[in-house]
Amino acid sequence: MNKIMRKLAVCVTICLVAVFALCGCGGPTPTETADTFLSAVKSGDTETIKTVYDGGSFNLLSAVEDEEAEEGDEAADDNYFEEILLPKLQDFNYELSNEKIDGNKATVDVKITTYDIGSAFSSFMSEYFTQALTLAFDGASEEQIEKLANTLFETEINKLKKRTYSETVTLDLVKKDDTWKVAAVDGDSSFLNALTGNMIKTLENLEEAYSFDE
């Protein structure tokens, strides 16, 4: 009888080990994947982003620059933006909740708290157009006008001392090869807008106000 019990105990142990092993092979959950993605975005870890993002590469600064290129803004310089704007873009906080899985798709709610970069950019554009117009009439060079843009922009960004902008948005994920990845983010998505402190919507509003596209 003791031999039978010992064999039974061994069988049960083996079964339990197998079950735990199978559970452990499931890989990161959608929430864990979203956490890895956002943490990598904050630190600028492009290699980690590639492992959890289904859209190839993801760069906050590039997303903003692409949007501005559509608006026809020629005052921005890549290196200047990287030095002044990128630190603010990456300095956000986030909270994850409400994971939902539907087959090979999933969603995770993300509460993003960051700087109100949209308001800063709106203030910058308003002041820039006023002063640039005056300089242009006075015969200022392109270099002078560009210097004005950089000075005004840096001033507005440096005014951002606290994270006053907060929004909860939904992050989409897809399952590929049994691994969850963050789905490709649209340039005008609510997620990207929240991540950039309402800058995407601000640029869209400025497009309408100043009629950039003609």
Side-chain angles (χ1 to χ4, degrees):
M1 185 68 177
N2 289 336
K3 290 184 178 179
I4 295 176
M5 292 299 293
R6 282 198 295 271
K7 288 183 179 179
L8 181 59
V10 171
C11 289
V12 171
T13 301
I14 292 174
C15 289
L16 287 174
V17 171
V19 168
F20 285 124
L22 288 173
C23 291
C25 292
T29 65
T31 298
E32 291 170 337
T33 299
D35 185 35
T36 299
F37 172 71
L38 288 166
S39 178
V41 171
K42 280 176 63 69
S43 63
D45 186 350
T46 56
E47 293 304 314
T48 296
I49 290 175
K50 290 178 183 178
T51 66
V52 294
Y53 184 57
D54 193 47
S57 61
F58 182 88
N59 182 287
L60 269 177
L61 192 61
S62 295
V64 173
E65 288 175 340
D66 288 345
E67 188 69 21
E68 283 195 289
E70 294 178 2
E71 311 304 343
D73 179 21
E74 298 178 355
D77 177 80
D78 290 353
N79 294 330
Y80 185 80
F81 261 129
E82 183 173 356
E83 179 182 347
I84 302 301
L85 182 57
L86 186 58
K88 291 293 184 184
L89 288 173
Q90 291 180 320
D91 189 21
F92 62 90
N93 294 331
Y94 64 91
E95 298 176 19
L96 303 174
S97 64
N98 198 29
E99 174 184 292
K100 294 181 180 179
I101 299 176
D102 183 12
N104 289 328
K105 294 183 179 180
T107 58
V108 176
D109 287 346
V110 185
K111 181 181 179 182
I112 296 173
T113 304
T114 188
Y115 301 93
D116 195 349
I117 299 175
S119 292
F121 195 83
S122 182
S123 297
F124 152 69
M125 290 297 290
S126 178
E127 189 65 24
Y128 169 68
F129 273 111
T130 299
Q131 294 193 34
L133 186 62
T134 301
L135 284 179
F137 277 122
D138 290 341
S141 65
E142 291 185 9
E143 289 77 12
Q144 289 175 308
I145 294 177
E146 182 177 346
K147 183 178 180 180
L148 169 67
N150 290 345
T151 299
L152 293 175
F153 184 75
E154 184 173 355
T155 298
E156 292 299 329
I157 293 299
N158 287 338
K159 288 180 182 179
L160 300 174
K161 303 298 184 181
K162 297 182 179 180
R163 303 179 191 87
T164 59
Y165 182 85
S166 183
E167 185 177 359
T168 299
V169 292
T170 300
L171 185 63
D172 295 320
L173 296 96
V174 293
K175 195 172 189 179
K176 292 189 173 181
D177 298 326
D178 293 324
T179 301
W180 288 107
K181 290 193 174 185
V182 173
V185 177
D186 292 333
D188 59 351
S189 69
S190 58
F191 169 73
L192 186 59
N193 181 67
L195 207 56
T196 58
N198 200 40
M199 191 167 181
I200 302 302
K201 286 186 178 179
T202 298
L203 289 170
E204 292 175 353
N205 292 335
L206 287 172
E207 175 188 355
E208 296 179 2
Y210 292 101
S211 300
F212 288 129
D213 289 337
E214 297 181 355

